Amino acid sequence: MTDDILTIDDDAAWRTDAKEHGWVLPPKAAWPLRLPVVRWLRATYHTIRVHHFTGVWASAGVGLGPPNQRDLWVIYAISRGWC
């Protein structure tokens, strides 16, 4: 039951971020890419890419710190099958 409460809170925070910043999701992926296991693999892959990209720029002295919050916002949507 606590997992459901955390999920609802996370989804509410995700929607709040969208409203506050005016973020819009990219077009939905094809339905096979939104299947549970595939979407989790996609989210993991993109998370690794975002953190790698951030690390590369940081090592060059150009990084701005942590990954862009919109990127993480989209990855959350991918993990939920919304994008």
Side-chain angles (χ1 to χ4, degrees):
M1 175 133 167
T2 58
D3 291 336
D4 295 332
I5 293 170
L6 291 175
T7 302
I8 292 168
D9 290 344
D10 290 344
D11 291 352
W14 184 86
R15 286 185 193 90
T16 302
D17 287 342
K19 289 178 186 174
E20 286 179 4
H21 301 288
W23 291 336
V24 179
L25 285 174
K28 282 189 174 184
W31 70 268
L33 295 175
R34 289 182 283 145
L35 293 172
V37 172
V38 178
R39 71 180 186 224
W40 297 327
L41 291 173
R42 284 180 61 219
T44 302
Y45 171 74
H46 288 295
T47 300
I48 291 168
R49 284 191 61 203
V50 164
H51 286 283
H52 173 72
F53 182 77
T54 303
V56 168
W57 280 102
S59 69
V62 186
L64 299 174
N68 185 339
Q69 289 301 309
R70 185 179 185 281
D71 292 338
L72 300 176
W73 182 80
V74 171
I75 290 171
Y76 181 80
I78 290 172
S79 71
R80 305 295 276 158
W82 301 333
C83 170

